């Protein structure tokens, strides 16, 4: 049981480049989340999904897009990276949201935008 | 905007002492959770307390919840060096499908 995995672990981008972060979970969880964490800060929710084929905006969605084509995968895309998107990105999943709100986190992806 | 606020922002104690950190939130909640984050790692769930509970224990952890004051506290007894980490509270409101995290307390246990 790998839990929640994230690919890649670290990436350097130039301003304007695009990339996709992949999150995969093997726990058959319905809900998946993408957060960003900046130094000394808590987590801010970017987008989330309550099931395959659904997505919703979180607190800081601008500049990001997401897709949940398969239940086990949740992709986060940056179409045109900006230095303000330098951060650590965490993916998480939970079984059923409000009824089972405990979230399980991946190890994170460190992104540096130059 | 983040709902939870942790206090203190940083705490440094000697090994063996107890560590207490607090969380305040703004709106009515269903549950409150505490998570731990070791440096450079993802968050790990520690304990969940529901809005109709006042106190909960798990090993060396004790969590209290006061819904009238919209606050919670996490007590770690007999601290160990391995407890050095950041601790976050997270709340979910009724009907909400997501958690709102506080900014965290950075705990350092000195040997």
């Amino acid at each position: 049981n790998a839990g929640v995995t994230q690919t890649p672990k670290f990436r350097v981008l130039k301003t304007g480049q695009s990339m996709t972060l992949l999150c995969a979970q093997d726990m058959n969880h319905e809900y998946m989340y993408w957060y960003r964490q900046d130094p000394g800060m808590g987590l801010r929710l970017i987008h989330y999904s309550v099931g395959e084929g659904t997505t919703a905006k979180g607190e800081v969605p601008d500049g990001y897009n997401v897709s949940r084509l398969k239940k086990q995968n949740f992709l986060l895309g940056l179409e045109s990276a900006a230095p303000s998107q330098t951060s650590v990105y965490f993916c998480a999943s939970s079984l059923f949201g409000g009824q089972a709100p405990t979230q399980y986190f991946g190890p994170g992806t460190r992104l540096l935008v130059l | 905007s983040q709902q939870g606020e942790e206090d203190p922002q940083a705490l440094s104690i000697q090994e063996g002492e107890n560590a207490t950190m607090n969380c305040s939130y703004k709106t009515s909640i269903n549950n409150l959770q505490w998570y731990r984050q070791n440096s450079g790692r993802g968050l790990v769930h520690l304990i969940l307390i529901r809005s109709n509970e006042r106190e909960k224990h798990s090993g060396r952890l004790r969590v209290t919840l006061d819904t009238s004051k919209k606050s919670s506290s996490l007590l770690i007894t007999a601290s160990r060096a391995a407890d050095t980490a950041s601790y976050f509270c997270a709340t979910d409101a009724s009907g909400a499908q997501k958690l709102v995290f506080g900014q965290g307390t950075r705990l350092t246990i000195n040997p």
Side-chain angles (χ1 to χ4, degrees), chain B:
Chain B
S1 62
Q2 292 181 314
Q3 154 136 275
E5 290 186 4
E6 275 102 335
D7 170 58
Q9 290 189 348
L11 178 63
S12 181
I13 61 174
Q14 295 299 120
E15 194 167 17
E17 294 180 340
N18 295 342
T20 300
M21 53 206 87
N22 304 294
C23 168
S24 60
Y25 56 92
K26 298 175 184 173
T27 63
S28 296
I29 61 170
N30 262 354
N31 309 284
L32 186 143
Q33 302 180 60
W34 286 90
Y35 287 79
R36 183 187 72 227
Q37 183 181 34
N38 291 93
S39 181
R41 303 286 187 92
L43 277 69
V44 174
H45 175 256
L46 293 176
I47 193 166
L48 179 151
I49 187 165
R50 301 195 184 277
S51 59
N52 61 355
E53 297 176 312
R54 292 295 168 258
E55 187 171 314
K56 202 159 183 181
H57 296 254
S58 176
R60 293 184 297 113
L61 306 179
R62 173 179 170 250
V63 171
T64 61
L65 179 64
D66 186 335
T67 54
S68 67
K69 295 182 179 178
K70 292 187 170 59
S71 68
S72 172
S73 67
L74 171 67
L75 168 68
I76 303 173
T77 60
S79 63
R80 304 167 181 170
D83 295 328
T84 293
S86 291
Y87 292 81
F88 295 89
C89 68
T91 56
D92 65 287
S94 178
Q97 300 164 325
K98 52 192 187 291
L99 298 179
V100 178
F101 286 83
Q103 295 193 347
T105 292
R106 191 172 63 254
L107 175 65
T108 302
I109 308 300
N110 301 303

Side-chain angles (χ1 to χ4, degrees), chain A residues 1-6 23-33 68 71-73 91-96 100 102-107, chain B residues 43 45:
Chain A
N1 226 358
V4 179
T5 57
Q6 293 183 231
C23 175
Q25 53 95 3
D26 62 2
M27 297 174 283
N28 203 34
H29 285 174
E30 291 292 332
Y31 287 57
M32 296 187 75
Y33 309 83
R68 182 104 181 265
K71 186 177 182 179
Q72 63 269 33
N73 296 336
C91 176
S93 69
S94 68
L95 186 57
F96 282 130
T102 297
Q103 293 190 8
Y104 297 82
F105 283 80
Chain B
L43 277 69
H45 175 256

